[in-house]
Short mmCIF file of all heavy atoms in Angstrom, two decimals:
data_model
loop_
_atom_site.label_atom_id
_atom_site.label_comp_id
_atom_site.label_asym_id
_atom_site.label_seq_id
_atom_site.Cartn_x
_atom_site.Cartn_y
_atom_site.Cartn_z
N TYR A 209 -7.29 0.18 5.77
CA TYR A 209 -7.06 1.63 5.67
C TYR A 209 -5.73 2.00 6.33
O TYR A 209 -4.89 2.69 5.73
CB TYR A 209 -8.24 2.35 6.33
CG TYR A 209 -8.04 3.79 6.68
CD1 TYR A 209 -8.14 4.78 5.71
CD2 TYR A 209 -7.78 4.18 7.99
CE1 TYR A 209 -7.99 6.12 6.04
CE2 TYR A 209 -7.62 5.50 8.32
CZ TYR A 209 -7.72 6.47 7.35
OH TYR A 209 -7.56 7.79 7.68
N ASN A 210 -5.51 1.51 7.53
CA ASN A 210 -4.25 1.79 8.24
C ASN A 210 -3.06 1.15 7.55
O ASN A 210 -1.99 1.74 7.46
CB ASN A 210 -4.34 1.31 9.69
CG ASN A 210 -5.07 2.28 10.56
OD1 ASN A 210 -5.09 3.48 10.28
ND2 ASN A 210 -5.69 1.79 11.61
N ASP A 211 -3.24 -0.06 7.04
CA ASP A 211 -2.17 -0.74 6.33
C ASP A 211 -1.77 0.01 5.07
O ASP A 211 -0.58 0.14 4.76
CB ASP A 211 -2.62 -2.16 5.99
CG ASP A 211 -1.50 -3.01 5.45
OD1 ASP A 211 -0.38 -2.91 5.99
OD2 ASP A 211 -1.74 -3.76 4.49
N LEU A 212 -2.76 0.54 4.35
CA LEU A 212 -2.46 1.31 3.13
C LEU A 212 -1.70 2.60 3.48
O LEU A 212 -0.75 2.96 2.78
CB LEU A 212 -3.76 1.64 2.40
CG LEU A 212 -3.62 2.43 1.10
CD1 LEU A 212 -2.81 1.65 0.08
CD2 LEU A 212 -4.99 2.76 0.55
N LYS A 213 -2.08 3.27 4.55
CA LYS A 213 -1.36 4.47 4.97
C LYS A 213 0.10 4.15 5.31
O LYS A 213 1.01 4.86 4.89
CB LYS A 213 -2.04 5.11 6.19
CG LYS A 213 -3.34 5.79 5.89
CD LYS A 213 -3.84 6.66 7.02
CE LYS A 213 -3.75 6.06 8.38
NZ LYS A 213 -4.32 6.90 9.45
N LYS A 214 0.31 3.07 6.03
CA LYS A 214 1.68 2.66 6.38
C LYS A 214 2.48 2.34 5.13
O LYS A 214 3.66 2.68 5.05
CB LYS A 214 1.64 1.44 7.30
CG LYS A 214 1.15 1.73 8.68
CD LYS A 214 1.08 0.46 9.49
CE LYS A 214 0.39 0.68 10.81
NZ LYS A 214 0.22 -0.59 11.55
N TYR A 215 1.86 1.68 4.18
CA TYR A 215 2.54 1.31 2.93
C TYR A 215 3.00 2.56 2.18
O TYR A 215 4.13 2.62 1.72
CB TYR A 215 1.57 0.48 2.07
CG TYR A 215 2.16 -0.01 0.77
CD1 TYR A 215 2.94 -1.16 0.74
CD2 TYR A 215 1.93 0.65 -0.42
CE1 TYR A 215 3.47 -1.63 -0.45
CE2 TYR A 215 2.46 0.19 -1.62
CZ TYR A 215 3.23 -0.95 -1.62
OH TYR A 215 3.75 -1.40 -2.80
N PHE A 216 2.13 3.56 2.09
CA PHE A 216 2.50 4.80 1.39
C PHE A 216 3.57 5.57 2.15
O PHE A 216 4.42 6.20 1.55
CB PHE A 216 1.26 5.67 1.15
CG PHE A 216 0.63 5.41 -0.18
CD1 PHE A 216 -0.14 4.28 -0.38
CD2 PHE A 216 0.80 6.29 -1.24
CE1 PHE A 216 -0.73 4.03 -1.61
CE2 PHE A 216 0.23 6.05 -2.47
CZ PHE A 216 -0.54 4.91 -2.65
N ARG A 217 3.54 5.54 3.48
CA ARG A 217 4.58 6.22 4.25
C ARG A 217 5.93 5.53 4.07
O ARG A 217 6.96 6.17 4.01
CB ARG A 217 4.20 6.25 5.73
CG ARG A 217 3.36 7.42 6.08
CD ARG A 217 3.28 7.59 7.59
NE ARG A 217 1.90 7.92 7.89
CZ ARG A 217 1.01 7.09 8.39
NH1 ARG A 217 1.34 5.87 8.72
NH2 ARG A 217 -0.22 7.46 8.61
N GLU A 218 5.90 4.20 3.99
CA GLU A 218 7.15 3.44 3.88
C GLU A 218 7.77 3.52 2.49
O GLU A 218 8.99 3.69 2.36
CB GLU A 218 6.88 1.97 4.23
CG GLU A 218 8.11 1.11 4.22
CD GLU A 218 7.81 -0.32 4.64
OE1 GLU A 218 6.78 -0.56 5.27
OE2 GLU A 218 8.64 -1.18 4.32
N PHE A 219 6.95 3.43 1.45
CA PHE A 219 7.49 3.35 0.08
C PHE A 219 7.40 4.65 -0.70
O PHE A 219 7.90 4.72 -1.81
CB PHE A 219 6.80 2.23 -0.69
CG PHE A 219 7.11 0.87 -0.15
CD1 PHE A 219 6.19 0.18 0.60
CD2 PHE A 219 8.36 0.30 -0.36
CE1 PHE A 219 6.48 -1.06 1.12
CE2 PHE A 219 8.66 -0.95 0.15
CZ PHE A 219 7.72 -1.64 0.89
N GLY A 220 6.73 5.65 -0.18
CA GLY A 220 6.70 6.95 -0.83
C GLY A 220 5.49 7.17 -1.71
O GLY A 220 4.59 6.34 -1.81
N GLU A 221 5.47 8.33 -2.35
CA GLU A 221 4.33 8.79 -3.11
C GLU A 221 4.19 8.13 -4.47
O GLU A 221 3.15 8.23 -5.10
CB GLU A 221 4.42 10.31 -3.30
CG GLU A 221 4.47 11.09 -2.01
CD GLU A 221 3.16 11.03 -1.25
OE1 GLU A 221 2.11 11.10 -1.90
OE2 GLU A 221 3.20 10.91 -0.01
N ARG A 222 5.22 7.48 -4.96
CA ARG A 222 5.19 6.94 -6.33
C ARG A 222 4.52 5.57 -6.43
O ARG A 222 4.26 5.11 -7.53
CB ARG A 222 6.60 6.84 -6.88
CG ARG A 222 7.22 8.18 -7.06
CD ARG A 222 8.56 8.07 -7.71
NE ARG A 222 9.16 9.39 -7.80
CZ ARG A 222 10.37 9.61 -8.18
NH1 ARG A 222 11.14 8.60 -8.51
NH2 ARG A 222 10.84 10.84 -8.25
N VAL A 223 4.27 4.92 -5.32
CA VAL A 223 3.64 3.60 -5.37
C VAL A 223 2.16 3.73 -5.72
O VAL A 223 1.59 4.81 -5.63
CB VAL A 223 3.82 2.84 -4.04
CG1 VAL A 223 5.27 2.56 -3.77
CG2 VAL A 223 3.19 3.59 -2.89
N LYS A 224 1.56 2.63 -6.11
CA LYS A 224 0.15 2.62 -6.48
C LYS A 224 -0.64 1.77 -5.51
O LYS A 224 -0.10 0.86 -4.88
CB LYS A 224 -0.02 2.05 -7.89
CG LYS A 224 0.65 2.86 -8.96
CD LYS A 224 0.43 2.21 -10.31
CE LYS A 224 1.10 3.02 -11.40
NZ LYS A 224 0.88 2.40 -12.72
N VAL A 225 -1.92 2.06 -5.42
CA VAL A 225 -2.80 1.26 -4.58
C VAL A 225 -2.83 -0.17 -5.10
O VAL A 225 -2.86 -1.12 -4.32
CB VAL A 225 -4.23 1.87 -4.53
CG1 VAL A 225 -5.17 0.99 -3.72
CG2 VAL A 225 -4.18 3.27 -3.92
N ALA A 226 -2.78 -0.34 -6.42
CA ALA A 226 -2.78 -1.68 -7.01
C ALA A 226 -1.55 -2.48 -6.57
O ALA A 226 -1.64 -3.69 -6.36
CB ALA A 226 -2.84 -1.59 -8.52
N ASP A 227 -0.40 -1.81 -6.40
CA ASP A 227 0.81 -2.49 -5.92
C ASP A 227 0.60 -3.00 -4.51
O ASP A 227 0.98 -4.12 -4.17
CB ASP A 227 2.01 -1.54 -5.95
CG ASP A 227 2.37 -1.07 -7.34
OD1 ASP A 227 2.03 -1.79 -8.32
OD2 ASP A 227 2.97 0.01 -7.45
N TRP A 228 0.02 -2.16 -3.66
CA TRP A 228 -0.28 -2.56 -2.29
C TRP A 228 -1.23 -3.74 -2.29
O TRP A 228 -1.02 -4.72 -1.56
CB TRP A 228 -0.88 -1.37 -1.53
CG TRP A 228 -1.50 -1.74 -0.23
CD1 TRP A 228 -0.88 -1.99 0.95
CD2 TRP A 228 -2.91 -1.90 0.02
NE1 TRP A 228 -1.80 -2.31 1.92
CE2 TRP A 228 -3.05 -2.25 1.37
CE3 TRP A 228 -4.05 -1.78 -0.76
CZ2 TRP A 228 -4.29 -2.48 1.95
CZ3 TRP A 228 -5.28 -2.00 -0.18
CH2 TRP A 228 -5.39 -2.35 1.16
N TYR A 229 -2.28 -3.68 -3.11
CA TYR A 229 -3.28 -4.75 -3.16
C TYR A 229 -2.65 -6.08 -3.61
O TYR A 229 -2.95 -7.12 -3.04
CB TYR A 229 -4.42 -4.35 -4.11
CG TYR A 229 -5.51 -5.38 -4.20
CD1 TYR A 229 -6.48 -5.49 -3.21
CD2 TYR A 229 -5.56 -6.26 -5.27
CE1 TYR A 229 -7.47 -6.45 -3.29
CE2 TYR A 229 -6.55 -7.22 -5.36
CZ TYR A 229 -7.51 -7.30 -4.36
OH TYR A 229 -8.48 -8.26 -4.44
N GLN A 230 -1.77 -6.03 -4.61
CA GLN A 230 -1.13 -7.25 -5.10
C GLN A 230 -0.25 -7.91 -4.05
O GLN A 230 -0.06 -9.11 -4.07
CB GLN A 230 -0.31 -6.95 -6.36
CG GLN A 230 -1.14 -6.59 -7.56
CD GLN A 230 -2.12 -7.68 -7.95
OE1 GLN A 230 -1.80 -8.86 -7.89
NE2 GLN A 230 -3.31 -7.28 -8.33
N GLY A 231 0.28 -7.12 -3.12
CA GLY A 231 1.14 -7.66 -2.08
C GLY A 231 0.40 -8.29 -0.92
O GLY A 231 1.02 -8.89 -0.04
N LEU A 232 -0.92 -8.20 -0.91
CA LEU A 232 -1.71 -8.77 0.19
C LEU A 232 -1.87 -10.27 0.02
O LEU A 232 -1.77 -10.81 -1.08
CB LEU A 232 -3.09 -8.12 0.24
CG LEU A 232 -3.14 -6.63 0.54
CD1 LEU A 232 -4.58 -6.13 0.43
CD2 LEU A 232 -2.57 -6.32 1.90
N SER A 233 -2.16 -10.94 1.13
CA SER A 233 -2.43 -12.37 1.07
C SER A 233 -3.81 -12.61 0.47
O SER A 233 -4.63 -11.70 0.37
CB SER A 233 -2.36 -12.98 2.47
OG SER A 233 -3.47 -12.54 3.24
N ARG A 234 -4.06 -13.83 0.08
CA ARG A 234 -5.35 -14.19 -0.51
C ARG A 234 -6.50 -13.90 0.44
O ARG A 234 -7.55 -13.40 0.03
CB ARG A 234 -5.34 -15.66 -0.90
CG ARG A 234 -6.67 -16.15 -1.40
CD ARG A 234 -6.61 -17.59 -1.76
NE ARG A 234 -6.39 -17.66 -3.18
CZ ARG A 234 -6.19 -18.75 -3.84
NH1 ARG A 234 -6.14 -19.90 -3.22
NH2 ARG A 234 -6.03 -18.72 -5.16
#
């Protein structure tokens, strides 16, 4: 939850949750 918030703050409103998920480790 915290990691997703940081991701959206860093990359802006146009990114997708799926983009964040794909960038995670296995």
Side-chain angles (χ1 to χ4, degrees):
Y209 163 80
N210 280 333
D211 189 41
L212 181 61
K213 288 193 315 183
K214 289 177 189 175
Y215 182 82
F216 268 76
R217 273 193 222 103
E218 183 177 340
F219 293 104
E221 301 292 320
R222 294 185 183 172
V223 296
K224 297 180 180 180
V225 176
D227 297 336
W228 167 79
Y229 181 79
Q230 291 301 321
L232 296 175
S233 70
R234 174 180 264 175

